[in-house]
Amino acid sequence: MKKIGIIDCNNFYVSCERVFNPESIGWPTVVLSNNDGCVIARSNEAKTLGVKMGAPYFKVKEFMKEYNFFVYSSNYNLYGDMSDRVMSVIKEYANNVEVYSIDESFVDFSDLPDNNFEEKLHEIKTEVKRRTGIPVSIGVGPNKTLAKLTSSFAKKQSGYNGVCSYWSLENFNVMSYSMKIDNVWGIGRMWKKKLNKLGIKSVGDFTSLPNQTVRSLLNVNGLKTKMELEGVYCHEVKRRTKIKKHLASTRSFGSDVDDLNQIGEAMFNYIENGVRKLIHNKINTKNCTIFVAGNKHKGQGHYNSKHITLQEPTQDVNDIWTQVYPHLQSLFNKNKTYKKCGIVFHELTPESQKQLCLFTEPLEFIEKPINQNKKWEMRQEFITKRYTTSWDDLPIVK
């Protein structure tokens, strides 16, 4: 039988901040979205106090002051690097690891012997915490769906001490009637609505449906979900993820901008961020779309975009910028203000398959704009340092 696990970082963004800011441990803590807009991560203490995911910061600001919250602006450089460190530890324990998201990975533990299986899982959990500072929960089952389901027990019920195995659950079939259907991996809002209309509200209700009914209602993927809840192995752990069709790099500005140099500097910065993703995924881009947009919350809904075919597949920042900038100039209107711009890369191909063109003309590099007052930069009132990715921000031990 397959033994599939999911290793999930607990309150990941908050945990990353607490590694380098331990004074926030035990206190209600939140991380805010771009431009310090909404709550996107909460500690258990913040959840207990009733702070909702997605709550606008300006609405809960006074409440947080009253209860001595620690508040952090999102620091994606830190979170991305800490994620890589967690995944590298996990990969020492298994050959087949699928990085599912920044804070989750599916792992095929089928090679681990049964006699000390759960002991080994606790060892992995302890080792990740010791070497990265990030607490994790581990759920294991005969497939991905049951692994995800047991992971929620590992995370929410202290008796499991962060590790829960499907095979350690007593009488799962009876328990399944107390598990909400929307707790199942793969069942989203639309499927939940359809099932609720038929009176299907629990996992037990769902698995009691005939296969034909599930397939006609939720297509073949819904049927696979039902089969996995019954213990069948349908979704394999994929060591290599599929190449994405598109890759975007975009942000809202910290304030409205009416200057081409400001927008140009922002665009160059977003191209750099996007290229880092291209390099990390070992892919090139042949086409891209750039756009500029106004502040729709102020009634400025203007939006302009341009699709650009690059001379050849590339992941070179300067090549992309030099070909993009003339089109950015044509999109800019000096009589309008802008709140956002960005770039989306298309036609992504493995860097090993790069096909050169004999007839390309050499590009005359265009310097990027540099502004002393960077109006386009995001509001990040509570940003912490890039502790693990910048020499200047290395923590100092006294």
Side-chain angles (χ1 to χ4, degrees):
M1 180 177 284
K2 285 283 189 182
K3 289 180 281 193
I4 307 301
I6 185 161
I7 302 180
D8 187 2
C9 301
N10 301 340
N11 306 324
F12 181 57
Y13 291 175
V14 168
S15 295
C16 290
E17 296 291 353
R18 282 178 165 177
V19 170
F20 300 97
N21 301 281
E23 66 274 12
S24 65
I25 295 173
W27 291 87
T29 306
V30 297
V31 174
L32 304 177
S33 63
N34 296 337
N35 289 308
D36 294 341
C38 302
V39 174
I40 57 170
R42 305 163 295 162
S43 68
N44 291 336
E45 298 83 2
K47 293 174 187 176
T48 300
L49 287 170
V51 174
K52 301 294 184 186
M53 184 68 86
Y57 176 59
F58 75 91
K59 286 188 177 181
V60 293
K61 184 175 182 179
E62 295 306 317
F63 175 82
M64 289 182 178
K65 281 183 181 178
E66 182 182 349
Y67 285 91
N68 299 314
F69 272 65
F70 281 81
V71 179
Y72 298 105
S73 302
S74 48
N75 186 343
Y76 297 115
N77 284 309
L78 175 64
Y79 309 151
D81 187 67
M82 293 299 287
S83 173
D84 290 342
R85 290 166 186 247
V86 169
M87 301 308 168
S88 67
V89 176
I90 294 169
K91 288 174 182 177
E92 292 178 13
Y93 289 87
N95 293 323
N96 201 357
V97 177
E98 177 186 335
V99 178
Y100 184 61
S101 67
I102 194 170
D103 62 346
E104 289 178 298
S105 61
F106 284 110
V107 186
D108 192 336
F109 288 124
S110 302
D111 292 337
L112 293 183
D114 293 337
N115 58 347
N116 66 341
F117 182 56
E118 289 203 31
E119 183 182 327
K120 200 69 177 175
L121 297 179
H122 281 283
E123 179 188 325
I124 295 169
K125 171 180 169 287
T126 301
E127 192 67 2
V128 171
K129 180 70 162 62
R130 184 183 74 82
R131 289 168 59 179
T132 68
I134 303 297
V136 298
S137 301
I138 305 177
V140 185
N143 52 54
K144 286 182 175 180
T145 303
L146 287 172
K148 282 285 281 185
L149 209 52
T150 54
S151 173
S152 64
F153 288 108
K155 184 176 284 191
K156 295 175 183 176
Q157 297 187 20
S158 58
Y160 289 105
N161 194 24
V163 174
C164 181
S165 165
Y166 167 77
W167 297 281
S168 68
L169 298 174
E170 294 183 10
N171 209 335
F172 177 81
N173 289 337
V174 174
M175 290 177 62
S176 67
Y177 284 91
S178 62
M179 301 176 192
K180 292 181 180 179
I181 190 63
D182 53 348
N183 287 339
V184 175
W185 177 60
I187 294 187
R189 255 181 290 177
M190 295 303 295
W191 282 9
K192 178 190 172 186
K193 258 186 197 177
K194 288 183 178 181
L195 292 169
N196 284 174
K197 282 182 181 178
L198 295 177
I200 308 299
K201 296 187 176 180
S202 72
V203 172
D205 296 334
F206 180 57
T207 54
S208 66
L209 287 173
N211 286 353
Q212 191 58 42
T213 303
V214 173
R215 179 162 186 163
S216 62
L217 193 67
L218 307 179
N219 68 43
V220 70
N221 291 320
L223 179 58
K224 285 182 178 179
T225 298
K226 176 181 181 288
M227 291 171 68
E228 289 219 328
L229 288 169
E230 295 169 333
V232 181
Y233 177 74
C234 297
H235 300 288
E236 65 177 316
V237 176
K238 300 174 183 176
R239 192 182 308 174
R240 292 183 180 178
T241 54
K242 290 182 180 177
I243 292 179
K244 297 177 180 179
K245 293 183 179 180
H246 313 287
L247 197 155
S249 180
T250 174
R251 290 282 186 274
S252 295
F253 304 145
S255 58
D256 291 355
V257 172
D258 59 2
D259 178 57
L260 178 59
N261 277 343
Q262 292 279 346
I263 295 175
E265 188 179 26
M267 182 66 77
F268 188 91
N269 183 267
Y270 302 156
I271 290 172
E272 283 185 316
N273 291 340
V275 164
R276 276 194 286 269
K277 296 177 187 177
L278 293 176
I279 293 171
H280 179 76
N281 289 285
K282 298 181 179 179
I283 51 179
N284 290 319
T285 181
K286 183 66 170 69
N287 296 296
C288 63
T289 300
I290 61 170
F291 71 89
V292 290
N295 191 338
K296 61 182 179 181
H297 299 294
K298 294 183 178 179
Q300 299 169 1
H302 49 272
Y303 176 94
N304 287 306
S305 65
K306 179 74 175 179
H307 186 77
I308 303 160
T309 299
L310 304 173
Q311 280 192 354
E312 60 183 31
T314 184
Q315 51 181 219
D316 185 281
V317 173
N318 293 330
D319 281 357
I320 296 171
W321 164 250
T322 298
Q323 294 174 76
V324 159
Y325 184 66
H327 297 286
L328 181 64
Q329 287 178 303
S330 69
L331 294 181
F332 177 74
N333 186 328
K334 64 181 180 180
N335 297 316
K336 294 180 178 179
T337 59
Y338 297 91
K339 184 61 176 176
K340 191 174 186 178
C341 78
I343 185 166
V344 183
F345 298 120
H346 312 288
E347 203 172 326
L348 307 179
T349 55
E351 61 184 9
S352 58
Q353 296 178 12
K354 183 174 180 178
Q355 184 173 354
L356 300 177
C357 178
L358 296 174
F359 305 105
T360 56
E361 296 182 7
L363 294 169
E364 188 175 338
F365 176 62
I366 299 173
E367 292 287 340
K368 74 165 184 176
I370 298 176
N371 301 282
Q372 293 299 318
N373 178 20
K374 302 178 188 298
K375 292 183 178 180
W376 59 272
E377 285 190 325
M378 289 190 298
R379 287 194 308 274
Q380 293 180 305
E381 184 181 347
F382 313 104
I383 190 69
T384 51
K385 294 181 178 181
R386 297 169 295 167
Y387 299 103
T388 63
T389 58
S390 169
W391 289 108
D392 294 333
D393 291 347
L394 280 176
I396 298 172
V397 179
K398 296 182 180 179

